[in-house]
């Protein structure tokens, strides 16, 4: 059994070899601890965020942490996946306009794909017009908007408003995610749901996909 407190601490200390060894042990033991391991890694990412805020870590450390987290998802993805491998559905994922961060988005994408979603990744700094075009062209009914900067909330609101103005809101479920999101941000933006961790995003989108069947 893997010590989850140690795993979180190792992630927070950017100890790649120790993190990967623990995750590989989880998989070698059948993957039963995969969800706990992912939660521990997310806890470690919070530690990294705190160290960045305090000046102990720098931008390069955040980039490295994102790569480490993406690798963690890759190791665990078979155990995190559910169902029979068939497609859960198709959805859009992107970082909103004026926000250039993609670490969180890429982690969420890996977990969504592990759970059977076909993810249309529109990248970073994504305009509302680009999202609306993709919704129409690919007949998509779930949109996940990511952002790290506080200004992302304004862009999220503008995007939701534009989807509404385009006449697509009634058939499109929207979840916002990232550091500045909370229930108040959901209310301001007009989104249906919000999440600050990848697993909640996966769970919410899976429920929406079931309703669309």
């Amino acid at each position: 059994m893997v010590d989850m407190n140690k795993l979180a601490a190792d992630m927070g200390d950017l100890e790649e070899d120790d993190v990967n060894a623990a995750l590989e042990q989880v998989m070698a033991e059948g993957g039963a601890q995969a969800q706990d391991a992912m939660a521990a890694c997310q806890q470690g990412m919070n530690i990294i965020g705190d160290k960045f805020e305090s000046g102990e870590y720098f931008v390069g450390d955040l980039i490295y942490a994102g790569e480490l987290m993406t690798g963690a998802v890759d190791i665990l993805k078979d155990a995190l996946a559910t169902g029979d491998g068939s497609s859960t559905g198709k959805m859009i994922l992107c970082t909103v306009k004026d926000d250039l961060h993609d670490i969180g988005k890429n982690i969420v994408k890996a977990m969504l794909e592990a759970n059977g979603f076909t993810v249309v990744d529109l990248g970073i700094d994504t305009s509302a017009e680009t999202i609306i075009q993709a919704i129409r062209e690919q007949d998509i009914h779930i949109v996940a908007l990511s952002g790290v900067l506080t200004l992302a909330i304004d862009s999220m609101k503008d995007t939701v408003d534009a989807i509404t103005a385009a006449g697509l809101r009634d058939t499109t479920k929207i979840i916002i995610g990232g550091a500045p999101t909370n229930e108040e941000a959901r209310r301001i933006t007009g989104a249906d749901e919000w999440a600050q961790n990848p697993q909640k995003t996966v769970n919410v989108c899976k429920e929406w996909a079931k309703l669309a069947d």
Side-chain angles (χ1 to χ4, degrees):
M1 297 287 284
V2 171
D3 182 338
M4 295 302 162
N5 290 327
K6 183 178 185 303
L7 175 56
D10 286 341
M11 175 66 82
D13 290 337
L14 300 175
E15 296 289 348
E16 180 178 9
D17 290 344
D18 290 339
V19 169
N20 289 344
L23 298 178
E24 287 164 3
Q25 181 182 338
V26 167
M27 297 304 293
E29 292 174 351
Q33 285 186 291
Q35 292 286 0
D36 290 339
M38 182 52 54
C41 288
Q42 290 165 9
Q43 183 181 343
M45 290 294 285
N46 291 337
I47 295 170
I48 291 164
D50 291 341
K51 289 186 175 183
F52 178 74
E53 289 288 334
S54 70
E56 183 177 347
Y57 281 172
F58 301 97
V59 173
D61 297 306
L62 292 184
I63 294 171
Y64 181 70
E67 294 171 349
L68 183 55
M69 186 68 173
T70 301
V73 174
D74 192 54
I75 292 171
L76 296 172
K77 64 183 180 182
D78 287 344
L80 293 170
T82 58
D84 58 6
S86 60
S87 176
T88 304
K90 182 185 287 188
M91 62 178 288
I92 286 170
L93 174 66
C94 64
T95 302
V96 292
K97 187 171 176 57
D98 298 325
D99 195 320
L100 305 179
H101 295 83
D102 66 357
I103 293 173
K105 174 183 70 65
N106 292 342
I107 293 168
V108 171
K109 178 182 178 181
M111 290 189 64
L112 286 166
E113 289 179 338
N115 281 272
F117 278 97
T118 299
V119 178
V120 179
D121 184 352
L122 298 180
I124 60 175
D125 191 21
T126 309
S127 69
E129 293 74 20
T130 298
I131 295 168
I132 289 167
Q133 181 178 357
I135 291 172
R136 286 176 167 155
E137 290 181 352
Q138 304 200 44
D139 190 28
I140 289 175
H141 303 286
I142 300 175
V143 175
L145 304 175
S146 176
V148 172
L149 304 175
T150 302
L151 62 79
I153 300 301
D154 291 335
S155 294
M156 289 172 177
K157 182 181 188 307
D158 291 343
T159 299
V160 175
D161 288 347
I163 291 172
T164 302
L168 299 168
R169 187 67 180 92
D170 289 345
T171 56
T172 305
K173 288 287 192 179
I174 302 172
I175 183 169
I176 59 173
T181 61
N182 52 34
E183 176 57 27
E184 177 67 7
R186 186 209 63 77
R187 186 190 64 76
I188 291 170
T189 60
D192 297 292
E193 188 55 275
W194 68 278
Q196 280 191 347
N197 68 76
Q199 191 59 52
K200 180 179 177 183
T201 301
V202 170
N203 292 343
V204 168
C205 291
K206 285 171 66 177
E207 286 302 312
W208 287 347
K210 287 179 185 177
L211 293 174
D213 287 342

